[in-house]
Amino acid sequence: MLGADVAGLEEMVTLAASAAAGVPPGGRVLGAANQALPPPPEAHLALWQSCSTLRESRGDGHVAALVAAGLAPCEALVLFTADKGLDPAYMRRMRGWSEQEWQEAEAALIGRRLLTGGGLTVAGRELRAEIERWTDIAAAAPWQALGAGPTARLRDLMTPVVQCSAS
């Protein structure tokens, strides 16, 4: 998809690798595992590996935020689905939860006053926002280490690549 002639590929590789080097490994099992892998010699694969390290580290922080919020795995997905207005049957099927597990998660969230039959409660929306805030805080170190200017440059370079892959 990228090819060797993508504009700014070497700069993207350098910036993404610098950001990925700033991933703190403690408590980030998947991020640390990806960070420990040697970079592939091909530029597009090295970029992929650095982005994987950053993505998995963010994911590790997100899981920690969900655990800190006291959400079981299916509950987290039910809350997300309600927050984003997604189709519960589709999400359940895509993530492998049974109808019974989904209903039990809904009941638990209703019991915690995070969910009603009509969607998220104010407390549910606040908790979702707080989880995302905690996730962002946990994911900030690599970008703080890289710096605002280089982070913006990487974003600008990557935007056309991301838009191309989305179409």
Side-chain angles (χ1 to χ4, degrees):
M1 182 175 77
L2 283 176
D5 61 347
V6 103
L9 180 59
E10 291 299 326
E11 188 178 3
M12 282 187 266
V13 170
T14 299
L15 291 169
S18 293
V23 164
R28 292 169 175 85
V29 179
L30 294 176
N34 275 276
Q35 188 182 50
L37 294 172
E42 301 90 346
H44 67 291
L45 296 178
L47 177 60
W48 182 269
Q49 183 58 45
S50 292
C51 290
S52 293
T53 299
L54 292 161
R55 182 192 66 246
E56 295 299 348
S57 177
R58 181 176 180 80
D60 291 336
H62 189 65
V63 169
L66 293 168
V67 169
L71 293 170
C74 190
E75 293 170 5
L77 187 59
V78 169
L79 204 62
F80 174 81
T81 299
D83 185 34
K84 299 299 180 184
L86 302 173
D87 177 22
Y90 172 79
M91 294 301 287
R92 192 177 61 248
R93 186 173 59 254
M94 295 311 299
R95 297 301 174 109
W97 295 104
S98 70
E99 178 71 35
Q100 180 178 343
E101 290 168 317
W102 195 269
Q103 289 173 358
E104 289 169 358
E106 285 179 330
L109 294 170
I110 290 169
R112 288 179 62 185
R113 294 184 165 79
L114 299 173
L115 186 70
T116 68
L120 293 182
T121 63
V122 170
R125 282 192 297 280
E126 289 172 352
L127 181 60
R128 280 277 308 132
E130 195 66 9
I131 288 166
E132 294 306 319
R133 188 178 77 75
W134 294 336
T135 300
D136 289 346
I137 290 168
W143 307 111
Q144 291 167 342
L146 186 60
T151 295
R153 177 67 179 153
L154 179 58
R155 181 200 60 229
D156 292 347
L157 288 167
M158 293 288 295
T159 296
V161 174
V162 172
Q163 289 173 339
C164 173
S165 69
S167 43

